[in-house]
Amino acid sequence: MNALTARTRFSVLDRSRTREGHSPGAALRDTVALAREVETLGYHRFWVSEHHGVPGVAGSAPTVLAAAVAAATRTLRVGTGGVMLPNHRPLVVAEQFGVLESLFPGRIDMGLGRSVGFTDGVRRALGRGKDDADDFAAQLAELLGWFEGTSPTGVRARPAEGLRVPPFVLAMGEGAEIAARAGLPMVIGDLRDRDRMRRGVDRYRDRFRPSAWAAEPYVVISGTVAVAATPEAARRLLVPEAWSMAYSRTHGSFPPLPPAEAVEGRTMTAKERGLYESGLAGHLAGTAEQVADELESVLKETAADEVLVTTSTYDRTALLDSYRRLAAVVNP
């Protein structure tokens, strides 16, 4: 086993991707079932995501889903990757995490992002505009204030006040700066653009200011990792998501995941083919030995404290096998 990998935590983010021929409810139940398996494999934490109005994603209410995951597991840390803070009042977010932490003490993480929805229609339905993301730093400070009891309103967040729910900032673009100034752990992706990731990590570490929440920088790198018996089988795990991304870029709608064989038999336009092939490239995919070497290289470049694996595919049996094989590499 490689030295850096042995010292690094590995965690899972499942986005509750819907699949052709399966209901959104099945996707949510699959997420809970995967969390149980991930716990037995020794992963550190399990996070769920927030998406609104997306046909291909069932997870629209991450704190609700996190409660189901935490109730189905015993030791696994459970959290959000993330709650999109511009979509919510910080008081309500604090209350929700206060309830989670009260029910499952010492196991809850609060991953926070600044996205305001994929489309104009979703933003209108949420009562938000693109500019609302610009207020993320202030919203973050207000949220943490509810836990610390420093709100100037005189209102108390119950049961959040006085609890310590670890906050993480999902950092894309200027998110690294916000995480550094706030003195919070940072989650940054994706593994396909190593140069951009490394620049973000360096900027975060250079500008980090210790806070009551974190005395020193903590870096979580995030992306797709697919492990199988052969490189070809690992690549097939990537096929459904690569096609869904290509379809969304050409049709404006992010669809449920199709089976790999349906994608491989599909006739694509030149633009679709280019986006699809691009979607297959750059991920950590291969045999256990190949992925182990790639992980060691990435960890050498970034000195990350943790890796958050975000793999999605149609074949849930193959996905679980991938997580088992990865666990054997990183947690033998």
Side-chain angles (χ1 to χ4, degrees):
M1 184 177 178
N2 293 326
L4 287 175
T5 306
R7 295 201 300 268
T8 305
R9 290 169 166 167
F10 281 78
S11 299
V12 174
L13 166 66
D14 191 68
R15 289 182 294 138
S16 304
R17 289 288 273 115
T18 57
R19 298 181 292 153
E20 287 184 3
H22 299 263
S23 69
L28 296 170
R29 289 187 290 274
D30 284 343
T31 292
V32 176
L34 180 62
R36 287 197 194 99
E37 295 287 351
V38 159
E39 182 172 60
T40 67
L41 293 171
Y43 287 91
H44 182 60
R45 52 180 121 239
F46 188 94
W47 283 4
V48 296
S49 63
E50 175 182 336
H51 295 275
H52 298 284
V54 181
V57 183
S60 56
T63 54
V64 177
L65 185 52
V69 169
T73 53
R74 292 185 306 106
T75 58
L76 194 65
R77 294 200 65 87
V78 176
T80 55
V83 164
M84 296 301 146
L85 200 47
N87 294 338
H88 311 279
R89 293 303 308 163
L91 169 61
V92 176
V93 175
E95 290 170 338
Q96 290 173 346
F97 279 100
V99 169
L100 283 169
E101 176 63 21
S102 299
L103 290 170
F104 309 102
R107 292 180 55 205
I108 301 301
D109 300 320
M110 186 166 57
L112 305 161
R114 62 193 291 270
S115 171
V116 284
F118 286 130
T119 66
D120 289 338
V122 168
R123 285 190 285 272
R124 282 196 302 273
L126 290 168
R128 297 292 183 266
K130 283 185 178 179
D131 293 346
D132 285 304
D134 297 338
D135 297 329
F136 179 65
Q139 294 158 352
L140 185 59
E142 181 184 340
L143 172 62
L144 298 181
W146 289 116
F147 286 93
E148 294 163 333
T150 56
S151 171
T153 63
V155 176
R156 300 295 181 86
R158 308 291 190 195
E161 188 176 314
L163 298 180
R164 302 295 287 180
V165 182
F168 295 74
V169 173
L170 276 60
M172 289 306 217
E174 68 183 80
E177 303 256 354
I178 293 170
R181 286 199 305 270
L184 299 179
M186 176 187 73
V187 184
I188 188 166
D190 71 47
L191 290 168
R192 288 184 299 170
D193 193 341
R194 305 273 185 85
D195 288 340
R196 184 182 177 204
M197 176 185 279
R198 196 164 50 242
R199 287 195 301 272
V201 169
D202 290 345
R203 191 161 62 247
Y204 166 71
R205 287 202 178 103
D206 288 344
R207 301 179 188 188
F208 183 86
R209 298 197 303 229
S211 72
W213 296 92
E216 54 191 27
Y218 189 90
V219 173
V220 184
I221 58 172
S222 176
T224 295
V225 183
V227 193
T230 66
E232 295 74 24
R235 186 180 185 275
R236 288 196 93 224
L237 279 166
L238 307 176
V239 164
E241 185 77 2
W243 167 250
S244 291
M245 291 298 293
Y247 186 93
S248 73
R249 295 279 299 278
T250 51
H251 293 77
S253 176
F254 196 58
L257 293 171
E261 56 270 21
V263 176
E264 291 165 341
R266 195 164 268 156
T267 301
M268 301 183 196
T269 66
K271 184 175 183 182
E272 286 173 341
R273 175 66 63 183
L275 290 166
Y276 168 67
E277 294 293 345
S278 172
L280 290 171
H283 302 289
L284 271 61
T287 64
E289 293 78 11
Q290 290 170 326
V291 168
D293 289 342
E294 275 289 294
L295 279 171
E296 193 73 3
S297 172
V298 173
L299 292 171
K300 213 167 276 178
E301 290 174 21
T302 60
D305 301 283
E306 187 169 340
V307 179
L308 183 66
V309 183
T310 63
T311 311
S312 297
T313 194
Y314 180 89
D315 186 339
R316 298 294 290 193
T317 302
L319 179 65
L320 180 55
D321 181 66
S322 175
Y323 278 121
R324 284 186 181 129
R325 290 175 185 271
L326 179 60
V329 168
V330 304
N331 188 26

